[in-house]
Amino acid sequence: MEIGINLNKFRDWSPEFWVNDFFKQSRGWLEKDLNLTISGWVRSLKPGQTATTLLFSPQLSGEKLDYPKGPYNVYFRGNGTFKWSDNIKVLKSARGYQLIELLEASGDGIYLTLESTNPNNYLKDIKIRSTQPSDRSVFYKPFLNSLNNDGFGNSKGFKTIRFLFLNPAYNNLPQAHLFYKNLPKTTDAFWTSKGPPVEGPPLDMMISLCNTLNANPWFCIPHMATDSFVRVFAKRIKDKLNPNLKVYIEHANEVWNPGFEFNDYSIKQGLKIKFSTDPFEAGLRYHAWKSVRIFNEFERIFADNSRLVRVLAGQTGVTDTYTIPLSFRDTAEHCDILATGAYIGYELRSPEMAEVVSSWGLDQLFEATDALLTRLKIDTDIVNNVAKQYKLPLVAYEGGQHLHNGSNKMVNDLFSRAQHDPRMGDLITSILKMWNKSNLGLFCYAYSCSDKAGHWGLLENLDNLNTVKYQALQKFVREDL
């Protein structure tokens, strides 16, 4: 059984620092109306104007965030002046270089404020890198180590990397999806939401990461992507990705989910094209049509389909989210796998359950997960029956525990305590064992390194791999449970 992983959001408040240039992960310039270059550098400042960016910020004010180990080397080009927030000490300064040290690893993050810049030779190419002797690569070594180390046994690490939050599918500026040229570039100042029009690291960086890890990439293609966008996207992957690796392709993410913008978009488009007069059916048929359109472009670029894994995803336990798109025209002929979520615990987050769950302790919480595991098995079997009908493998695009964002503080506190309980490791093992005994395919855990008390992630920071969830997953892979 292969295990994959979903990477977390590329944000200044995320503890998952995966590029060895922490400036790329800063928030972007906080001020409006700045004179910026196309790459996001400040070309000039008006009298009295400054430009500030935020690094290593906690997601919630006052919340502790585990920073990458310092001190840090700071490199830059151009002429200008900038200052740091009070929690930074400059140990050394020279032309185009500073050595800085973080005085405290809590509070409100680190601020860098640009006070002046020469319009004829503006400050640019700011890089903030680890001073650790082994950190000379593009990627931050602790990040690579969390994804590939001896603790996984002979398999070494995750076999597939799903770029859900690092991909433009989650962008709120749909017009930016229309043009490949608007995607982030390696030369851009920031790769976060306040950087270029589309958030996330450049495609070349995602490809390079998979080449480094020898892991298959899973791309969620933007729901507004044009055929030409997909064509250039596919060609870049074919040209840059190691030829031994496969490419998973999915239209957006959870198109069936009303909580996401692409669900509403798909419904409107399906009704407009007259795929059905029923909004639910119209949206799923549009999802099928758009999926095949994306697959067709990849098929043309790759010539043969042996390296492509064309994904059609639906909702766990809801057969219509699979059968409606699969039965529409020739969709089934273009699909290689079906994908579903494999979560436990989301039922306990609802307002209806709040009063009951608020009175629980950890013993009652973990007792309840036994019944939820049975429910997950039933729902998974429902979807797997559809997969068997169409002679397609079933994989998990996401999965794990879903004890997150409870309906009140007492429920949230209970969920937080549960993350560190040894029984959480047992729960993760049980989910994976259930999946394996059902002879199902790839399981992509959600997520790698998490925000907010580690609810989602296997890890809470990259320096501590000794969490109950991470250790349980590694043991499962290592011992082939």
Side-chain angles (χ1 to χ4, degrees):
M1 173 179 162
E2 287 194 357
I3 302 292
I5 193 72
N6 285 267
L7 295 188
N8 210 335
K9 292 182 180 180
F10 199 81
R11 295 287 192 274
D12 58 278
W13 44 256
S14 171
E16 187 169 71
F17 306 100
W18 65 278
V19 179
N20 191 20
D21 176 4
F22 307 127
F23 192 82
K24 296 293 188 189
Q25 202 161 331
S26 56
R27 189 169 297 187
W29 306 116
L30 303 182
E31 293 81 1
K32 297 180 180 178
D33 302 320
L34 291 170
N35 180 15
L36 302 178
T37 69
I38 193 171
S39 297
W41 302 108
V42 178
R43 189 189 303 276
S44 64
L45 291 168
K46 299 174 185 177
Q49 189 179 36
T50 59
T52 300
T53 184
L54 176 62
L55 298 85
F56 306 156
S57 168
Q59 185 171 10
L60 302 175
S61 180
E63 183 181 56
K64 183 180 182 298
L65 178 68
D66 293 289
Y67 295 75
K69 289 180 179 178
Y72 313 107
N73 288 315
V74 182
Y75 303 95
F76 53 92
R77 295 173 57 216
N79 295 328
T81 59
F82 58 85
K83 68 176 182 179
W84 299 95
S85 48
D86 293 340
N87 55 354
I88 286 291
K89 180 180 181 180
V90 179
L91 302 176
K92 187 184 298 185
S93 186
R95 183 177 178 84
Y97 171 77
Q98 286 186 354
L99 177 66
I100 64 172
E101 181 179 44
L102 179 64
L103 299 179
E104 57 176 303
S106 62
D108 295 323
I110 299 172
Y111 289 88
L112 182 152
T113 300
L114 183 60
E115 296 181 304
S116 69
T117 191
N118 181 348
N120 297 317
N121 187 20
Y122 51 85
L123 278 173
K124 53 188 172 294
D125 298 342
I126 301 172
K127 295 178 174 58
I128 302 175
R129 291 178 170 165
S130 169
T131 56
Q132 300 299 310
S134 58
D135 277 356
R136 296 292 181 266
S137 68
V138 172
F139 300 105
Y140 187 45
K141 186 179 178 182
F143 170 69
L144 290 180
N145 187 55
S146 72
L147 300 175
N148 190 323
N149 61 66
D150 291 339
F152 287 96
N154 292 333
S155 72
K156 292 295 183 184
F158 297 103
K159 296 303 181 186
T160 297
I161 307 293
R162 187 168 183 253
F163 295 102
L164 170 60
F165 289 120
L166 302 185
N167 185 281
Y170 264 73
N171 187 266
N172 290 319
L173 298 171
Q175 68 273 19
H177 295 169
L178 297 176
F179 303 103
Y180 180 87
K181 67 181 181 181
N182 286 336
L183 285 180
K185 300 173 181 62
T186 56
T187 53
D188 287 332
F190 312 105
W191 296 342
T192 50
S193 57
K194 289 195 176 180
V198 181
E199 65 190 57
L203 175 59
D204 282 2
M205 296 301 296
M206 302 185 206
I207 296 171
S208 178
L209 176 64
C210 289
N211 286 341
T212 301
L213 295 171
N214 196 36
N216 302 314
W218 182 321
F219 294 107
C220 298
I221 304 298
H223 68 289
M224 291 281 284
T226 62
D227 292 346
S228 61
F229 174 102
V230 177
R231 199 175 304 126
V232 178
F233 199 89
K235 187 175 187 309
R236 195 70 175 173
I237 295 168
K238 184 176 185 293
D239 291 345
K240 296 287 186 177
L241 187 69
N242 287 349
N244 63 301
L245 296 175
K246 292 183 178 293
V247 185
Y248 287 73
I249 318 153
E250 179 184 3
H251 168 225
N253 170 70
E254 294 191 358
V255 176
W256 53 266
N257 191 335
F260 295 138
E261 63 182 59
F262 19 86
N263 171 262
D264 181 62
Y265 179 84
S266 295
I267 289 172
K268 289 178 179 177
Q269 292 300 307
L271 292 171
K272 181 180 179 180
I273 303 173
K274 298 183 179 180
F275 283 156
S276 174
T277 56
D278 176 71
F280 180 74
E281 186 175 63
L284 289 171
R285 285 181 171 177
Y286 176 81
H287 171 46
W289 177 83
K290 184 66 173 182
S291 294
V292 171
R293 203 172 179 95
I294 290 169
F295 299 158
N296 283 340
E297 294 300 335
F298 270 84
E299 290 162 8
R300 292 188 184 102
I301 294 298
F302 277 77
D304 79 80
N305 299 338
S306 62
R307 294 184 62 197
L308 300 179
V309 184
R310 298 161 296 179
V311 182
L312 186 75
Q315 185 178 6
T316 308
V318 183
T319 56
D320 284 351
T321 60
Y322 296 92
T323 56
I324 290 174
L326 282 168
S327 61
F328 184 64
R329 298 182 180 175
D330 63 346
T331 303
E333 297 174 20
H334 291 269
C335 294
D336 298 302
I337 60 172
L338 298 187
T340 189
Y343 284 115
I344 278 184
Y346 56 89
E347 305 93 336
L348 305 179
R349 303 165 55 228
S350 67
E352 294 77 15
M353 290 293 295
E355 185 175 350
V356 174
V357 179
S358 294
S359 67
W360 286 358
L362 289 174
D363 289 345
Q364 290 164 297
L365 177 64
F366 283 108
E367 285 172 8
T369 60
D370 290 340
L372 297 179
L373 184 64
T374 301
R375 178 72 254 176
L376 175 61
K377 176 68 168 65
I378 293 171
D379 288 344
T380 301
D381 286 345
I382 289 172
V383 178
N384 198 29
N385 286 335
V386 177
K388 289 177 180 177
Q389 177 186 343
Y390 284 89
K391 298 181 180 179
L392 295 170
L394 179 64
V395 306
Y397 62 85
E398 295 172 22
Q401 60 85 36
H402 206 295
L403 301 177
H404 181 68
N405 279 353
S407 51
N408 63 45
K409 185 178 184 302
M410 292 181 68
V411 174
N412 271 332
D413 289 345
L414 177 66
F415 288 173
S416 293
R417 296 200 310 275
Q419 306 305 319
H420 308 101
D421 192 285
R423 287 169 289 186
M424 178 57 76
D426 297 335
L427 177 60
I428 299 304
T429 301
S430 296
I431 296 171
L432 297 174
K433 280 186 174 181
M434 180 278 292
W435 194 262
N436 195 27
K437 287 180 179 178
S438 298
N439 294 314
L440 302 174
L442 171 72
F443 188 103
C444 287
Y445 192 89
Y447 297 91
S448 47
C449 190
S450 178
D451 52 354
K452 276 192 176 179
H455 286 198
W456 282 120
L458 290 167
L459 301 172
E460 295 174 31
N461 65 74
L462 296 175
D463 293 318
N464 177 23
L465 304 186
N466 195 32
T467 65
V468 292
K469 289 180 283 188
Y470 187 82
Q471 290 298 315
L473 184 141
Q474 276 203 324
K475 182 178 179 181
F476 178 86
V477 174
R478 186 173 61 247
E479 299 182 4
D480 195 21
L481 298 175

